[in-house]
Amino acid sequence: MSIDGIANGIPAAPAVLEVDSVTKTYPSQPPVMALRGVSFTVARGELAAIVGPSGSGKTTLLHLMGTLDKPTSGTVRIAGTDVAELTDREVAFLRASRIGFVFQQFFLAEHKSLLDNVTDGLMYAGVRLARRRELALDALSAVGLAGRAGARPTQLSGGQRQRVAIARALAGEPAIILADEPTGNLDQSTGQSILALFEALQQRGSTIVLITHDISIARRMPRRIEVLDGRIVADTRGEGAGVADSLAAGPPIVQPAEHP
Ligand code: ADP
Ligand code: MG
């Protein structure tokens, strides 16, 4: 049993994501070595933060984990499949069916209802329309917005918009959700409520990797992978103040704030 399979004393869960000796050099002039040999695995049901200062390689790493870009060397496996061994079509299907993305900028279609925004996210997952609507409503209800399914994003606050984007990522029941600075456009307390939502989704069984430059956000997560200059400099578990830890160890350091 590998060390990576043990989280909080719970026996090994299969790895959803394996990043093995990955490097990435952008062929710019001069070339930029954004990742210099990165290895880690994420087990099913984990909530992990990748944290590091601006320019340390976090977004590059997210693109590789999300099959949006290819490593210069090394291997990325999603649910046991080596992405490099797939055709472009197979990679596109893997991405659509197994990976949910959340970005700082939300990327919602402003003229469409929340339900259509979330339903559209399932377009390529090989699911019929009636079932897509059902999954979309379930996902909106998981983020507390089922009652607003007919509203337009323009009628929502920033925090509510990000909840819609999270519902869209969640709806296809992906193997893993990848979030790049998901609280970057939100005020402090709204950001905290989004983190509380990620914690609640983990409790429901989701696997989530959250990228942030904010150490106070990372500290709240059950696992923190710290990157600096394209390398992992620390990978720690168990000291976070998140929901799972707070159940065992008293109240969280940061109280989740909930906005209506
Ligand atoms: P972070 O998300 O941690 O801020 P990035 O992954 O965006 O870091 O960038 C890591 C390094 O790679 C930085 O030096 C950045 O300037 C460089 N970089 C990112 N994208 C490209 C690109 N398309 N071409 C050349 N250099 C890039
Ligand atoms: Mg970035």
Side-chain angles (χ1 to χ4, degrees), residues 26-28 32-34 52-61 180 211 227:
Y26 289 108
S28 46
V32 175
M33 281 185 76
S54 180
S56 55
K58 304 182 298 298
T59 294
T60 300
L61 187 52
D180 194 359
I211 284 187
V227 294

Side-chain angles (χ1 to χ4, degrees), residues 175-188:
I176 191 162
I177 292 175
L178 302 175
D180 194 359
E181 306 277 5
T183 63
N185 277 344
L186 305 175
D187 65 63
Q188 182 77 21

Side-chain angles (χ1 to χ4, degrees), residues 28-202:
S28 46
Q29 217 36 260
V32 175
M33 281 185 76
L35 296 174
R36 297 165 184 262
V38 167
S39 301
F40 62 95
T41 69
V42 176
R44 185 163 300 153
E46 272 201 289
L47 170 59
I50 293 177
V51 62
S54 180
S56 55
K58 304 182 298 298
T59 294
T60 300
L61 187 52
L62 178 118
H63 287 164
L64 300 181
M65 294 187 293
T67 74
L68 297 168
D69 199 359
K70 290 176 179 164
T72 304
S73 66
T75 310
V76 175
R77 286 188 203 86
I78 312 282
T81 301
D82 180 349
V83 176
E85 287 174 1
L86 302 180
T87 64
D88 287 351
R89 253 187 90 145
E90 288 168 335
V91 171
F93 183 77
L94 175 84
R95 187 188 308 134
S97 59
R98 309 292 279 156
I99 304 172
F101 292 97
V102 178
F103 297 101
Q104 182 174 346
Q105 306 89 338
F106 318 142
F107 294 125
L108 301 177
E110 299 290 338
H111 61 285
K112 289 189 172 183
S113 70
L114 306 193
L115 184 63
D116 285 345
N117 264 281
V118 178
T119 304
D120 286 358
L122 294 163
M123 198 120 53
Y124 305 101
V127 186
R128 288 171 192 280
L129 180 60
R131 179 68 184 142
R132 291 208 303 269
R133 291 226 170 95
E134 214 172 86
L135 289 169
L137 256 184
D138 286 351
L140 280 171
S141 119
V143 303
L145 284 173
R148 305 293 305 275
R152 302 274 182 282
T154 46
Q155 299 170 274
L156 302 184
S157 68
Q160 288 172 325
R161 285 171 187 236
Q162 191 58 303
R163 283 173 189 273
V164 177
I166 292 168
R168 183 181 53 195
L170 191 68
E173 294 170 348
I176 191 162
I177 292 175
L178 302 175
D180 194 359
E181 306 277 5
T183 63
N185 277 344
L186 305 175
D187 65 63
Q188 182 77 21
S189 69
T190 305
Q192 292 295 335
S193 82
I194 292 296
L195 297 181
L197 174 60
F198 280 124
E199 288 166 346
L201 295 176
Q202 185 206 14

